[in-house]
Each structure stands twice: as structure tokens, then as C-alpha cells.
Amino acid sequence: MRSVHDLPTPAVLVDVDALEHNLATMAAVLPGARLRPHVKAHKSTALADLQRRHGHRSFTCATVREMVGMAHAGLGDDLLLANEVVDEGRLRELAALQDFAMITVAVDSDYTLDAAARAGISHVLIDVNIGLPRCGCPPHDAARLAERARSRGLVVRGVMGYEGHLMVSGDRDAQRRDTLAAMRVLRDAATHVGGDIVSAGGTGNHDIHAAHMAETGVTEVQAGSYALMDTYYSTLGLPFRQALSILGTVVSTQEKWAVADVGLKSLGMDHGNPTITGHKVWFCSDEHVTFATETPGATLGDKAGDTSGDVATRAAQPAVGTKIRVLPAHVDPTMAMHEHLWLVRGDEVLDRFPIDLRGW
């Protein structure tokens, strides 16, 4: 394939220049071990290798499959499974990697700690709840868990916490204040737990962490979306470019709308509709995205056929067969739906990377 016009759709496109800009920009802000890139955002060992070439040799993973894939790809210098796992069969898969990879698992309870110990895991981080109602032990219980882990023969490398509820904010001053408050909780827990690692953060507040590491004691940031980006994060004015798009083909047109073959099975939709530059997206269905063929600024309804208040003028109607680029609102689940990505520059196809860490 030499041109995007030759690709079967839907297809994942990654603009190589935007990708390189994003990797270089983050490496300058959080160089080396200060960033532990989260591979759940792209699920590709080939892309992780590009991050390694920018100086990052430790990685965050969301699933056991990601951990195993990264280790077997030679990217196992320092892998953190930042989610709790109670399946001892899966944990034994990780323990079997410890002869040639550095494996660390997050634990937040006696149950997860004991499961890791029984499976033969050697290193853990104590996961601390710092405000997001998801995983993480109560901060006051972190020291007890660490002591119990050491009594089971585990090495406690430190703590982690994820302030995911603070990643996107329209008020940057409030985001900074709340991030620093969450880090005070994590720093206090780290003081009682011990170890060398204090891991937190993400793309949405990476700059706050970079500016305050001496104050917060955070040693590494678990950012992932920065590499490819999505429209959800693009609202924050971050210094990263939109590298990811999904190529689609217009398959049907009507008087005021068109339909392309990029739908719910091609896009992560939990952060809302995707974007098609120059058009208003009406809705997505299983295989399709329906979008208005009107100039921007139209006051169109959000449902098919609802043109109440329509004051738009006609835009160029895309012909059936036209290729369009759809910008996802959430990168992580979007990438999980595809088997490979195409590196492109403009309409030129440069390379294909497998999305080999997808699935469970």
C-alpha cells in the first residue's frame, strides 16, 4: 500500500510527523525514567519501541497480555502492571517472565497481595486511592499492606496512585491545586511504605507533575495518550498534536447528510462523538457514522433527520467512495478495536505496525 486511498477501511492512520513531535515533546518535559509510558493507549510494541528510542525504558501496562507481549518483544527492562489481578493463572504467567524481565504488580488489598505472593511474583507497588473511586487502598492502610507484603517475601518498590478524575479540567489553576493535594496524600503514604518509586499522573496533568516533582516526591508519570492524542484531550491546549485518525469511506449520501463506514465497532465512544473536520457528526451506529454535509455553524439536531433551526448553507457533497478521516474522542478503546495501524505522511503510506497488545 503506497497511498491511503488504497487502504481498506476502516483503517487506523498515525501521522508520523505528529507522532514524532509528540514523543520528542514529552521526552523533553519528562526525560528518561521520569516518564513510564502507558502502553494501553496504543497497544503496539513497535510504537513502544519508538518511545524506548526516546529514552524511556520503563513502561506501564494495563493487562497481563500487554506485560507478556512487552517482555517477549525485548521491552521488559521495567514493566509495571498498574491494575489489580486476582487470577493466579495469569499472575503465574507474569512470574514466569521474571528470569528475563523486571515485573512489578500493583496490589491494594490482602487478597491481591496474597494472590501475587502465591503466584511467585517478586515485586509489588502499593496502589493507593488518592481520590478516584476505582482501585487503591485507603491511604491509612498502605503501610500495613507494605509490611504484610514484606512478610510474604515480596519486595515493595514503592507506591502508585492515579488521579484520573483530574486529567481533564477547564480550570488549570484548580487542576494544579487538586493534583498537588492528591500528591500530598500519596507522598504521605510513600513515607510510611518505603521504596524508591512514587508513580502517578497522566497526559492531562503531566506538565503539573513535571513542574512540581521536587515538591510532591513523584518519581515517574504514567502518561500514555500523548503519543497519539484524541479530541477529548485536545481541548486542554496541551503541546501535543492529533496523530491518530480513522480512515473511512463514504458509502452513502442523501440531500443533507452522508454516511461513512466508521462506526461503534471502530471507535471508542465513551467520551462522545468523533469529529470530522468541516462537518457536524450526527451519530454513530454499529458500522456507520452519519454526518451533516453543511458548512460549520449549522444549528442541526443530533438525531438523523432532525434539521430544526437549520440555517446552514450547502457544502460540497462528498461523493460515494470518497475517503475521509474521523478523529476519535478516546484513543485507548479505539486502538483496542483494530489489528494494525498505518504510519502515514499526508496521503503517503510509510509503514504498518501491528497492534499486537490488544485483547486480554
Side-chain angles (χ1 to χ4, degrees), residues 4 13 52 60 84-85 92 136 161 165 171 179 186 208 231 237 241 244 257 275 280 298 305-306 320 326 338-339 355:
V4 297
L13 304 184
R52 181 189 61 80
T60 313
E84 279 65 27
V85 174
R92 282 192 291 271
H165 57 300
D171 185 337
T179 295
L186 189 60
I208 297 172
T231 61
R241 299 174 185 169
L244 173 68
W257 70 87
T275 297
K280 178 179 177 63
D306 179 2
V320 172
V326 181
H338 300 269
E339 295 180 346
I355 305 176

Side-chain angles (χ1 to χ4, degrees), residues 11-306:
V12 178
L13 304 184
V14 174
D15 182 282
V16 69
D17 296 322
L19 172 64
E20 173 57 30
H21 166 85
N22 294 346
L23 298 183
T25 298
M26 182 63 90
V29 175
L30 290 167
R34 290 193 171 199
L35 181 73
R36 185 186 283 273
H38 211 315
V39 302
K40 72 171 184 173
H42 54 71
K43 299 173 182 63
S44 170
T45 55
L47 207 154
D49 189 54
L50 295 182
Q51 293 172 310
R52 181 189 61 80
R53 295 181 193 185
H54 279 79
H56 312 299
R57 304 192 68 87
S58 56
F59 291 92
T60 313
C61 298
T63 66
V64 170
R65 179 167 181 172
E66 290 174 8
M67 296 279 282
V68 172
M70 290 288 286
H72 284 294
L75 296 165
D77 286 7
D78 191 344
L79 298 176
L80 168 63
L81 180 59
N83 290 332
E84 279 65 27
V85 174
V86 298
D87 185 326
E88 290 183 33
R90 284 179 170 164
L91 288 169
R92 282 192 291 271
E93 287 185 65
L94 296 186
L97 302 175
Q98 292 175 138
D99 289 340
F100 62 93
M102 179 64 183
I103 302 296
T104 304
V105 173
V107 297
D108 70 350
S109 66
D110 291 346
Y111 196 110
T112 52
L113 189 161
D114 290 342
R118 286 193 298 267
I121 296 294
S122 299
H123 296 83
V124 296
L125 285 186
I126 305 300
D127 187 3
V128 181
N129 185 330
I130 53 175
L132 176 67
R134 200 167 69 182
C135 295
C137 70
H140 64 78
D141 198 36
R144 183 195 66 81
L145 275 178
E147 182 179 355
R148 192 167 190 275
R150 292 185 177 104
S151 74
R152 296 292 312 264
L154 299 172
V155 176
V156 179
R157 300 186 68 193
V159 299
M160 65 159 280
Y162 182 51
E163 69 282 19
H165 57 300
L166 304 178
M167 285 301 115
V168 176
S169 173
D171 185 337
R172 289 288 280 170
D173 289 336
Q175 184 187 33
R176 179 178 296 102
R177 181 190 65 241
D178 294 342
T179 295
L180 294 180
M183 291 310 103
R184 284 193 289 273
V185 174
L186 189 60
R187 180 185 59 193
D188 183 63
T191 300
H192 295 92
V193 166
D196 298 324
I197 294 176
V198 180
S199 191
T203 296
N205 64 357
H206 77 283
D207 53 335
I208 297 172
H209 282 288
H212 295 279
M213 277 185 159
E215 173 186 349
T216 63
V218 170
T219 61
E220 60 183 37
V221 177
Q222 298 180 16
S225 297
Y226 78 94
L228 299 180
M229 288 295 284
D230 53 37
T231 61
Y232 188 65
Y233 270 132
S234 68
T235 62
L236 298 181
L238 300 172
F240 308 115
R241 299 174 185 169
Q242 183 71 38
L244 173 68
S245 62
I246 308 300
L247 184 72
T249 303
V250 175
V251 296
S252 181
T253 60
Q254 302 296 325
E255 182 181 357
K256 291 186 177 183
W257 70 87
V259 180
D261 59 351
V262 179
L264 298 174
K265 297 176 184 177
S266 305
L267 298 162
M269 294 288 294
D270 55 313
H271 289 169
N273 275 340
T275 297
I276 300 174
T277 302
H279 298 277
K280 178 179 177 63
V281 171
W282 281 0
F283 66 97
C284 289
S285 48
D286 282 358
E287 316 294 349
H288 303 114
V289 56
T290 298
F291 58 98
T293 54
E294 309 282 350
T295 54
T299 50
L300 295 171
D302 289 330
K303 296 181 179 179
D306 179 2

